[in-house]
Amino acid sequence: FMQRGLDSQTKKQLEEEEKKIISEEHWYLDVPDLKKKESCIIEERSFLLCEDLVYGRMSFKGFNPEIEKLMIQMNSKCKEEEIEEDDKMEADVSDEEMARRYETLVGTIGKKFLRKRDQRVLKDDDDDEDDEIEEGNSNTRPSKRAKKMFLKPQD
Amino acid sequence: MAAESGTAAEALVGQVVLPGDLLLLPAHYDEDAEGERLRLSAGGAPQGRLLCGPGLRRCGAGLLVTKCGLLRHRPAGGGAFWVDSQQKRYVPVKGDHVIGIVTAKAGDVFRLDVGGSEPASLSYLAFEGATKRNRPNVQVGDLIYGQFLVANKDMEPEMVCIDSSGKSSGMGIIGQDGFLFKVSLGLIRKLLAPKCEIIQELSQLYPFELVLGMNGRIWVKAKTVQQTLIIVNILEACEYMSAEQRKQALAKLSGN
């Protein structure tokens, strides 16, 4: 079809003929389109989705404790309230104690990962807090801190 | 070609339907609603899709009944219609939990008898924590509680003993001792209903363990053989006993 020098008229005629051919074919495809609308009904052969059936494995009066736990788990998936109650009951340590513990824990573990320089600073800070009486040392502290900075060599 | 006009589905809920009955659905399920449809539901249209359960088939205008039984309806979650029918022979359905008996080991796969037309296959990797080196200890004659992964009329049914998250959640090999027997499928569904009186009354008697398979098989285990047999007899008989007869029988037993 890529003919050079085709007049615009003949091009249009060719396009129209192509469209006619295509539209004639399309005519057959129009009919199936109508049938696609029926998608509101799902067919399935399992009773599980129709009725609310319970889990099939059961144990009574403590015959098999694992299965009794499983029964509570499986059957409470439908009822979310029971799950929340279970979580509250199983907490051995109360929330307040956990919060207190974490406060101190974060500090001690944080110290572990400090680099050496930072650890010295920490120690100095601790000593500062402890030694309130020894004021004589306060003069040496600034000099020690000054040492850590880069001292330009004097000519 | 029988040119019967169908009746509205909601009018027949709870009544006996026979194969060949055509049920019409309320108009909001049909996109091209024509004026001849009966519209009984006055309330708002339930949203979501309608579930067409076992015993029913979608057929152009509405639902065609394929089994005889009682028509049931559940209005929640988009609505569902199904036929409550009675049968003894099990047809494997995907997602059902069943009890299977191992009949053969064929290489990496176990063959299980589930009471259907074909034996189901179960791969040794379909157990929790199973790897190629860590194989489950399954012998011929063992009982297995699992669910169907594939179950249609064109292929051999396949079972697995883990769920979609990889946990066994109660499935797998059922332990030693105990008693396996067969009942009709309707009784199993009755026993698995959310608040089943039979199970509640039995649980007051003795401590025992019970596994119900949707293929009609029940496995019971209690402390002594006599207790096990008593429970088996009650479960088999309660299909045809009325509630009062059952309570009398249990009262006699708990008195002994």
Side-chain angles (χ1 to χ4, degrees):
Chain A
F1 278 146
M2 299 297 283
Q3 296 174 20
R4 288 183 192 176
L6 249 191
D7 295 342
S8 57
Q9 282 182 359
T10 48
K11 271 190 195 171
K12 280 180 190 172
Q13 278 178 11
L14 275 176
E15 283 176 16
E16 281 172 18
E17 281 172 27
E18 282 181 33
K19 280 183 190 172
K20 276 184 197 170
I21 295 169
I22 294 170
S23 63
E24 281 178 12
E25 289 172 12
H26 270 312
W27 198 75
Y28 293 111
L29 292 174
D30 275 337
V31 175
D33 279 343
L34 291 172
K35 290 187 185 172
K36 283 181 190 172
K37 289 180 188 175
E38 290 182 23
S39 61
C40 289
I41 304 177
I42 320 173
E43 260 189 36
E44 45 102 353
R45 291 164 50 218
S46 159
F47 278 105
L48 213 64
L49 291 173
C50 295
E51 313 173 359
D52 260 336
L53 295 181
V54 178
Y55 192 63
R57 234 183 150 160
M58 310 182 206
S59 156
F60 300 105
K61 291 204 171 179
F63 197 77
N64 193 334
E66 293 171 0
I67 294 192
E68 301 210 345
K69 275 189 216 166
L70 201 76
M71 275 171 75
I72 301 173
Q73 239 184 23
M74 299 296 252
N75 296 338
S76 68
K77 271 180 192 173
C78 315
K79 305 171 193 173
E80 290 167 13
E81 295 169 4
E82 289 186 29
I83 292 175
E84 288 175 15
E85 283 178 26
D86 280 344
D87 285 342
K88 281 180 193 168
M89 280 180 40
E90 286 174 16
D92 291 329
V93 184
S94 76
D95 294 339
E96 289 176 2
E97 285 184 38
M98 284 294 283
R100 266 183 252 152
R101 260 228 161 163
Y102 266 118
E103 268 181 327
T104 50
L105 203 68
V106 165
T108 46
I109 293 189
K111 278 188 201 169
K112 193 173 150 191
F113 293 106
L114 287 177
R115 285 176 292 155
K116 269 190 182 174
R117 284 188 184 176
D118 299 334
Q119 280 176 358
R120 266 195 219 164
V121 172
L122 262 183
K123 271 187 194 171
D124 292 341
D125 285 342
D126 286 344
D127 291 339
D128 277 338
E129 287 171 11
D130 292 339
D131 302 339
E132 289 171 9
I133 303 169
E134 294 183 22
E135 291 170 10
N137 289 330
S138 59
N139 292 326
T140 51
R141 296 290 146 84
S143 60
K144 274 190 193 171
R145 281 181 198 154
K147 265 189 186 174
K148 290 174 187 174
M149 295 188 45
F150 179 66
L151 292 172
K152 193 173 174 186
Q154 294 170 353
D155 294 332
Chain B
M1 302 292 285
E4 293 173 11
S5 61
T7 44
E10 300 189 352
L12 288 175
V13 172
Q15 296 185 20
V16 176
V17 288
L18 296 174
D21 288 353
L22 185 65
L23 304 173
L24 294 173
L25 297 169
H28 39 254
Y29 290 117
D30 252 336
E31 299 263 343
D32 24 271
E34 290 160 9
E36 295 175 6
R37 301 273 145 72
L38 295 172
R39 301 171 197 200
L40 286 188
S41 65
Q47 296 181 357
R49 297 181 172 190
L50 177 71
L51 204 66
C52 160
L56 293 175
R57 198 169 267 215
R58 188 177 59 184
C59 147
L63 299 176
L64 192 64
V65 179
T66 54
K67 282 195 185 158
C68 40
L70 297 171
L71 184 68
R72 302 271 184 225
H73 175 57
R74 186 195 70 194
F81 284 98
W82 71 94
V83 176
D84 200 357
S85 63
Q86 183 68 289
Q87 60 182 68
K88 283 189 166 184
R89 186 84 182 165
Y90 178 67
V91 173
V93 169
K94 180 176 170 178
D96 264 1
H97 294 263
V98 293
I99 299 180
I101 305 176
V102 180
T103 53
K105 269 195 202 182
D108 291 340
V109 151
F110 304 114
R111 294 248 167 265
L112 300 179
D113 166 42
V114 289
S117 53
E118 276 186 307
S121 71
L122 171 65
S123 162
Y124 76 98
L125 289 172
F127 290 86
E128 187 177 9
T131 58
K132 285 189 183 173
R133 298 194 180 175
N134 180 19
R135 295 182 175 225
N137 186 15
V138 175
Q139 307 300 325
V140 173
D142 276 353
L143 293 177
I144 297 208
Y145 187 62
Q147 64 180 349
F148 280 110
L149 190 66
V150 167
N152 49 35
K153 62 182 166 75
D154 304 313
M155 290 166 59
E156 176 193 50
E158 281 179 35
M159 280 181 56
V160 285
C161 287
I162 51 173
D163 62 11
S164 52
S165 61
K167 293 186 194 166
S168 69
S169 64
M171 296 189 272
I173 307 174
I174 298 178
Q176 295 286 321
D177 307 327
F179 191 91
L180 179 78
F181 61 104
K182 194 168 180 335
V183 292
S184 70
L185 308 188
L187 179 63
I188 299 275
R189 274 185 282 123
K190 214 179 0 173
L191 292 172
L192 283 176
K195 286 181 187 176
C196 177
E197 293 175 355
I198 308 172
I199 301 268
Q200 283 175 352
E201 287 170 16
L202 272 181
S203 64
Q204 309 297 323
L205 271 186
Y206 321 111
F208 68 98
E209 193 185 337
L210 183 68
V211 179
L212 297 162
M214 294 288 286
N215 54 346
R217 292 185 183 166
I218 304 183
W219 180 84
V220 180
K221 180 175 172 186
K223 281 188 182 163
T224 66
V225 175
Q226 199 186 17
Q227 288 179 358
T228 311
L229 290 174
I230 291 173
I231 298 175
V232 166
N233 285 328
I234 294 179
L235 285 171
E236 275 180 338
C238 69
E239 188 169 5
Y240 299 111
M241 282 201 293
S242 68
E244 292 161 3
Q245 290 171 333
R246 193 177 65 229
K247 283 176 189 169
Q248 282 175 11
L250 286 170
K252 273 191 212 172
L253 285 169
S254 53
N256 283 348

